[in-house]
Amino acid sequence: MNRNLYNIHILGIGFMLVFSAFITASFIESIVFKDLNRNGIGAKTGFYSLAIIYTCLGIANWFSPAVVKRLGCKISLFLSALPYTGFIFSMYEPYLWSVYTLSALLGAGGGVIWTANGEVIAKNSPGDTKAKNTGIFWSWFNSSMLMGNIFLFFYLGDAETIGDKQRHVIYLVLGVLCTLGTFSFLLLRPNDLSLTENDEAGIVPVQAESIIQPIKDAIKFGTTWQMRFLYCAIMFTGFSLNFWSSVFITVIGNVFPKRSYLALGGICTGVGEISAGFIWGRLSNKIGRHGVVMCSTVINCVLYYLAFISFPFDAATTTAKVAQDNPIIASSLPLTLAMGVLLGLGDGGFNVSIYAALGWWKLQRH
């Protein structure tokens, strides 16, 4: 295996391990805190934690290109993955201050880890190999939606609460997975196209203006008519991410008694996201990006209508054991799991279209 392909596989395996742990941990975070209900932590703490994570990630995205240029790809990946590991291990016995502090650090690391990921793929994709290498990476990464949730499903079994013993085992296993993924980034090899000798040492000389230039470039590109056209779609994907990564799973935990159903919801959403890459990738050649967006819009409309009529209105916020309000139609586990698949398909359709549009516009600008 040549060095470029080796680096792509190591990158994919690292992301698979880190995000198998993080996605599973964040999926069940609100329900875990609800069942814990001590140390100042309650049912809404998980929502606040995720809000801090994604707020800090959004801010960090402005500065992450300069960080990656300064530290190099390998060191940036390793250091930015450490907060993920710390956050997951902190759930062994969480406190309000540790949850919020590590959420902020994780968000800051998230901006850097995704920027460094793009750099590694770009530098290890000579000629026309970028599409193939990107596909290899996403094949590894998408499996993270399934790996941790499958473990969770079999471990929780018929449990109706996540007590201290279950929480300790879950977050120790997830923490070990995340640690393995973090240290796997150090196995990346330098070569002519990828990590330079300075990258390997962890230092890349930069000019003073390079710290500000990525921010200027982002602002300049963000004011183009193409980006203004995409803002509504990008905002929607943010709402969609919030729904499937926290609200949807929390609702399942507040409607259905068995905690293993949380994992089933995550697995079905993962199946939808993975399927979206194959389905929309092939259909885009036949119906175009606009057709994919229209189909995804219809799927999302159906999904959110089903959620509106089949979930109790207090299902996301109740502090009781189960939701107390009556839905318009009776909640059904098969219907809920089907909604998880639709969530992944709808979200994936928008993301595929947005990334394709951004890639095409970038080529046009150069």
Side-chain angles (χ1 to χ4, degrees), residues 31-297:
I31 294 298
V32 166
F33 288 158
K34 179 184 174 182
D35 288 346
L36 177 67
N37 197 29
R38 66 170 184 267
N39 300 336
I41 290 173
K44 296 183 180 179
T45 305
F47 291 134
Y48 297 147
S49 168
L50 291 170
I52 292 170
I53 287 173
Y54 289 109
T55 299
C56 292
L57 189 149
I59 296 171
N61 280 329
W62 291 95
F63 306 99
S64 55
V67 174
V68 174
K69 283 184 178 181
R70 178 69 182 133
L71 298 178
C73 295
K74 180 164 69 173
I75 299 303
S76 295
L77 286 167
F78 174 73
L79 293 179
S80 59
L82 288 177
Y84 285 82
T85 305
F87 176 81
I88 292 169
F89 274 124
S90 74
M91 296 297 178
Y92 187 89
E93 188 58 46
Y95 294 88
L96 201 61
W97 66 268
S98 64
V99 170
Y100 290 161
T101 301
L102 287 165
S103 294
L105 292 174
L106 190 155
V112 175
I113 201 171
W114 282 104
T115 301
N117 158 71
E119 284 290 305
V120 172
I121 292 176
K123 292 179 179 180
N124 285 276
S125 301
D128 58 354
T129 62
K130 187 172 184 179
K132 182 191 77 172
N133 288 346
T134 302
I136 291 171
F137 167 78
W138 282 105
S139 296
W140 282 111
F141 176 75
N142 282 334
S143 64
S144 65
M145 296 283 289
L146 304 177
M147 189 174 173
N149 282 307
I150 291 173
F151 153 71
L152 205 63
F153 174 74
F154 287 106
Y155 177 68
L156 289 177
D158 294 328
E160 296 189 0
T161 60
I162 300 177
D164 288 348
K165 180 182 177 181
Q166 290 96 334
R167 188 183 71 254
H168 293 164
V169 172
I170 288 169
Y171 284 105
L172 279 176
V173 171
L174 296 180
V176 169
L177 274 180
C178 197
T179 301
L180 291 173
T182 299
F183 280 91
S184 70
F185 293 133
L186 297 179
L187 299 177
L188 289 167
R189 298 176 182 173
N191 62 18
D192 291 338
L193 288 169
S194 177
L195 310 174
T196 64
E197 292 179 359
N198 283 331
D199 273 317
E200 190 175 23
I203 298 176
V204 178
V206 291
Q207 299 176 352
E209 69 269 21
S210 68
I211 303 297
I212 303 299
Q213 192 58 43
I215 301 176
K216 292 181 178 179
D217 292 341
I219 294 174
K220 183 178 180 181
F221 184 61
T223 56
T224 60
W225 69 267
Q226 294 98 328
M227 282 303 300
R228 290 198 296 268
F229 178 76
L230 277 181
Y231 281 152
C232 288
I234 292 172
M235 288 177 63
F236 176 77
T237 61
F239 288 120
S240 179
L241 172 64
N242 173 71
F243 186 79
W244 68 255
S245 67
S246 59
V247 175
F248 180 64
I249 302 298
T250 302
V251 167
I252 292 176
N254 288 334
V255 172
F256 303 103
K258 293 183 180 180
R259 291 305 187 228
S260 60
Y261 292 166
L262 302 172
L264 277 181
I267 290 170
C268 289
T269 305
V271 168
E273 290 281 356
I274 294 170
S275 301
F278 294 102
I279 294 172
W280 300 128
R282 284 169 172 76
L283 282 180
S284 62
N285 294 326
K286 297 180 180 180
I287 62 178
R289 290 194 300 270
H290 297 90
V292 171
V293 170
M294 289 303 297
C295 290
S296 300
T297 301

Side-chain angles (χ1 to χ4, degrees), residues 340-364:
V341 177
L342 292 177
L343 259 176
L345 285 173
D347 181 67
F350 271 93
N351 284 321
V352 166
S353 301
I354 289 171
Y355 292 145
L358 289 173
W360 185 81
W361 285 333
K362 183 177 180 180
L363 288 175
Q364 296 302 306

